[in-house]
Amino acid sequence: ILLIFEGTNEILRMYSALTCIQGPGEALAAVGKGGMAAGAGDAVNRLKRDFGMGEALSGIHSELSAEAKVFAHSTGMFANAVDDLLMKHKKDIINHQRPLARVANISIDLYAVACALSRASRALDNGEETAQ
């Protein structure tokens, strides 16, 4: 029975990774079809993510602003890594399980951090004793 659950976890992990790279893959395909202007826009977005100038989290308590910046920078680095994988492997990415497993693990970790930031921010906003 444990092998069945373990296999199911691996399948869901691969599904999660493939779902995670679907949007960036479509965006890169559009850049390929869009020519120079689309490529320049993609390069600007990539540079913004490299320098931590990407989208910031909204609604986070001011005491958690440093953590929110680290999270935003981490998601930008993750987005660039996914773009790199897609540029390297293209459609053959579905046959590379180790990089996909890393994508899935990082996306799960980033989701957990986002949940923790959200919960801590709500606790600070509500003045709960457990906030500190």
Side-chain angles (χ1 to χ4, degrees):
I1 291 178
L2 290 176
L3 293 176
I4 292 171
F5 289 126
E6 194 62 35
T8 303
N9 286 339
E10 295 303 317
I11 291 169
L12 289 174
R13 200 170 296 274
M14 288 299 115
Y15 176 75
S16 172
L18 291 171
T19 302
C20 185
I21 65 172
Q22 183 178 5
E26 291 170 356
L28 285 175
V31 166
K33 294 177 184 175
M36 186 67 86
D42 185 58
V44 168
N45 287 337
R46 189 175 175 87
L47 284 171
K48 283 182 181 179
R49 291 189 305 237
D50 281 340
F51 292 106
M53 298 167 44
E55 295 181 28
L57 292 177
S58 61
I60 297 294
H61 194 275
S62 61
E63 287 186 40
L64 298 172
S65 62
E67 289 81 3
K69 284 182 184 178
V70 169
F71 176 77
H73 182 68
S74 298
T75 55
M77 289 175 25
F78 176 62
N80 286 346
V82 168
D83 286 349
D84 290 342
L85 279 174
L86 288 169
M87 286 188 270
K88 179 179 179 181
H89 299 293
K90 298 181 179 30
K91 289 184 179 183
D92 192 44
I93 188 69
I94 61 172
N95 297 318
H96 296 275
Q97 290 186 3
R98 285 190 184 179
L100 286 175
R102 289 187 201 118
V103 166
N105 289 337
I106 293 169
S107 66
I108 291 166
D109 290 344
L110 287 173
Y111 180 75
V113 170
C115 291
L117 277 172
S118 175
R119 190 169 180 162
S121 181
R122 191 181 93 211
L124 286 168
D125 287 341
N126 293 340
E128 295 177 13
E129 293 176 9
T130 59
Q132 296 297 330

